[in-house]
Amino acid sequence: MKDFSALAAPESEEGRLLARLDPSRMPRHVAIIMDGNGRWARSRRLPRVAGHRAGIRSVRETVESAARLGLEVLTLYAFSQENWKRPRSEVDTLMDLLQEYLRKELATLHENRIRFSVLGRLAALRPAIRGELEGAVAATAGHDGLRFNIAISYGGRAEIADACRAIVRDGLAEEAVDEAAIAARLYTAGQPDPDLLIRTSGEMRVSNFLLWQIAYAEIHVTPTLWPDFRFRHFLEALLDYQGRERRYGGIEDGEEIAGGAAAARG
Ligand code: FPP
């Protein structure tokens, strides 16, 4: 079992949060909707893109934390299909930041044996960025540490539609189309579903993110804006998760079933 004591000084705020974390009840997959970059920038009278730039530090720290905590999968929502509607200059900056991030962080991904993947309709991306992303995916494919997914040009409904198309392409018989057949054709095929979905900046929405995969995820919404999201916020989310009782539509252990029918739904 993981020992977290080396991850922060015991007397620090992070150290106190870590001491409360149960290493045997960690989520396997954490997915994050990174939100609030624009508000972070506006509150400082800066252009929106300054918020995205500041958000890179949170990305870097969160990936590192997830690897050090021994999580299996971390998925970050970097760019939705709807984000293509933003002003051209903002889209270009986001793509440039992604490219810059990959160039700067590839060595760190290797050092930490992180396996990098991309979720989304990549055909919509500039060829140079697509090439860079695919290069990083191929270069880290043999790693056995954290699996780090970035969702780019991503839409949950589009992902399900793509899986349906693959089913038709594969010529499956009607009886063979079940949940496993769909899951095997999602962008996350072979990965565990998220146990914990974190959203920053206080918005209570799932925004078309991993719609199929979050069916039973616990949701943690923090008012913290993404550029301010630090290790302690990540730990607070994990502690919140560990305080939840997961029921997957069933009933509590040992709970009496009134009238012989379980009414519990979620
Ligand atoms: C939401 O904030 C954030 C995004 C649309 C982009 C997130 C991207 C990054 C943090 C940088 C690139 C990512 C990686 C993985 C290198 P918003 O602009 O919608 O904020 P607002 O709701 O306050 O306006």
Side-chain angles (χ1 to χ4, degrees):
M1 202 188 293
K2 273 255 171 206
D3 173 14
F4 295 147
S5 57
L7 300 188
E11 67 283 0
S12 64
E13 192 182 347
E14 290 81 1
R16 279 192 286 274
L17 292 167
L18 272 168
R20 290 169 45 207
L21 204 60
D22 178 352
S24 71
R25 294 180 53 236
M26 294 294 281
R28 293 178 71 191
H29 182 168
V30 175
I32 307 184
I33 301 176
M34 308 182 288
D35 196 12
N37 296 353
R39 276 162 279 172
W40 184 93
R42 200 167 52 241
S43 70
R44 288 164 176 75
R45 297 178 189 281
L46 293 169
R48 290 179 57 78
V49 291
H52 298 318
R53 193 165 282 285
I56 294 286
R57 175 177 166 194
S58 308
V59 170
R60 213 182 314 112
E61 288 190 13
T62 302
V63 173
E64 204 180 305
S65 304
R68 292 169 80 195
L69 287 164
L71 299 186
E72 271 178 63
V73 188
L74 173 74
T75 301
L76 300 183
Y77 201 3
F79 193 86
S80 70
Q81 282 198 321
E82 290 69 34
N83 288 155
W84 287 115
K85 295 181 207 139
R86 293 196 178 192
R88 175 75 193 267
S89 58
E90 185 175 344
V91 171
D92 284 348
T93 303
L94 276 166
M95 294 298 153
D96 290 347
L97 283 173
L98 259 168
Q99 206 165 7
E100 193 182 312
Y101 169 83
L102 276 180
R103 286 188 187 154
K104 284 194 181 150
E105 295 302 312
L106 195 55
T108 313
L109 298 184
H110 281 308
E111 269 164 40
N112 293 293
R113 306 205 52 76
I114 294 172
R115 182 170 168 191
F116 176 68
S117 319
V118 192
L119 316 178
R121 287 191 174 164
L122 300 194
L125 299 174
R126 291 202 303 248
I129 298 207
R130 192 175 163 179
E132 196 108 25
L133 288 165
E134 286 171 347
V137 171
T140 61
H143 291 338
D144 55 4
L146 173 76
R147 182 151 191 155
F148 168 32
N149 299 317
I150 292 190
I152 302 169
S153 190
Y154 176 88
R157 289 182 173 182
E159 179 182 26
I160 295 168
D162 285 351
C164 294
R165 285 184 195 176
I167 282 174
V168 173
R169 220 171 27 243
D170 294 345
L172 261 68
E174 186 183 332
E175 322 76 75
V177 181
D178 55 13
E179 293 185 15
I182 294 171
R185 288 165 180 81
L186 295 173
Y187 307 146
T188 52
Q191 303 183 21
D193 287 338
D195 305 290
L196 170 62
L197 172 68
I198 301 173
R199 182 167 188 145
T200 58
S201 91
E203 306 289 347
M204 305 278 187
R205 287 189 291 274
V206 293
S207 299
N208 202 16
F209 187 43
L210 301 176
L211 292 182
W212 178 280
Q213 297 91 330
I214 60 168
Y216 292 105
E218 297 295 330
I219 302 180
H220 172 88
V221 176
T222 169
T224 305
L225 305 178
W226 178 250
D228 293 325
F229 190 83
R230 293 286 158 274
F231 188 36
R232 68 175 182 282
H233 302 110
F234 199 2
L235 293 173
E236 281 164 5
L238 293 167
L239 284 166
D240 183 19
Y241 166 82
Q242 291 192 341
R244 308 277 180 91
E245 182 202 335
R246 303 191 72 194
R247 295 167 66 159
Y248 301 100
I251 56 167
E252 274 181 70
D253 275 353
E255 187 183 303
E256 289 289 324
I257 303 176
R265 293 191 103 232

